[in-house]
């Protein structure tokens, strides 16, 4: 079954993408919850017209994301955590702490777009990936220090 997505779905695609899903997933979950519509010929024509009209807006959003990515590349974060004498963190550092540290420096980034590659359980230097746009992704270096 082919559907047109009405919003970004992490494992499936981005808003306005036409994707193929299993019939039950589309019919029983995506369409009733309003996340997608059925890709009929008339819906495809409307989708094509909407995409043509919104191309300029999307380009502007992408350029803004690129500008923000350039600013974020220069940022280095220091996140404090309680540690043992051996350098192990009590708990772990996650995307919420990174989002708060970015907010303290004036960047309002949603925690859902921040991904940390490995679990942060010790003091040291790490990188986090921030997906600002479907084509714009930036890596941010952060250091975990003992408080």
């Amino acid at each position: 079954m082919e559907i047109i997505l009405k919003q970004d779905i992490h494992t499936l695609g981005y808003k306005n993408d036409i994707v193929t899903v299993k019939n039950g997933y589309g019919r029983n979950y995506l369409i009733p919850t309003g996340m997608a519509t059925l890709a009929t010929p008339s819906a495809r024509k409307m989708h094509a017209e909407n995409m043509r009209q919104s191309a300029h807006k999307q380009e502007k959003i992408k350029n803004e994301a690129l500008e923000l990515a350039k600013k974020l590349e220069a940022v280095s974060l220091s996140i404090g955590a309680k540690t043992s004498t051996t350098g192990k963190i009590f708990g772990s550092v996650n995307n919420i702490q990174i989002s708060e540290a970015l907010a303290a420096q004036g960047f309002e980034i949603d925690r859902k777009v921040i991904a940390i590659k490995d679990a942060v359980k010790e003091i040291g230097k790490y990188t986090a990936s921030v997906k600002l746009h479907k084509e714009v992704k930036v890596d941010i270096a952060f250091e975990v220090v003992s408080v």
Side-chain angles (χ1 to χ4, degrees), residues 12-146:
L12 202 54
Y14 298 99
K15 183 178 178 181
N16 294 323
D17 284 352
I18 297 176
V19 295
T20 303
V21 296
K22 291 188 177 184
N23 291 339
Y25 184 51
R27 192 177 330 112
N28 297 329
Y29 178 67
L30 294 174
I31 294 172
T33 56
M35 294 180 179
T37 58
L38 196 58
T40 61
S42 62
R44 285 178 183 266
K45 286 181 185 176
M46 287 180 57
H47 175 260
E49 180 64 24
N50 289 341
M51 292 302 293
R52 187 184 65 77
Q53 290 178 359
S54 69
H56 180 68
K57 290 180 187 176
Q58 292 298 327
E59 188 65 31
K60 183 179 176 184
I61 291 170
K62 182 181 174 185
N63 288 337
E64 289 174 358
L66 285 170
E67 289 176 18
L68 183 58
K70 286 181 183 176
K71 292 177 185 175
L72 285 175
E73 284 176 348
V75 171
S76 83
L77 303 174
S78 179
I79 298 174
K82 290 185 179 181
T83 59
S84 67
T85 57
T86 61
K88 298 271 187 197
I89 297 174
F90 297 124
S92 66
V93 174
N94 56 21
N95 55 358
I96 296 171
Q97 282 108 342
I98 295 172
S99 177
E100 290 171 352
L102 286 170
Q105 291 193 6
F107 297 103
E108 291 298 323
I109 305 292
D110 186 22
R111 68 177 176 85
K112 295 176 186 172
V113 299
I114 299 172
I116 303 172
K117 294 174 182 79
D118 299 323
V120 180
K121 300 230 179 230
E122 295 180 355
I123 294 174
K125 294 185 179 188
Y126 299 92
T127 60
S129 176
V130 179
K131 195 166 192 177
L132 299 171
H133 185 265
K134 65 182 177 180
E135 298 172 7
V136 180
K137 191 174 186 181
V138 64
D139 290 332
I140 297 176
F142 68 95
E143 183 176 7
V144 179
V145 295
S146 180

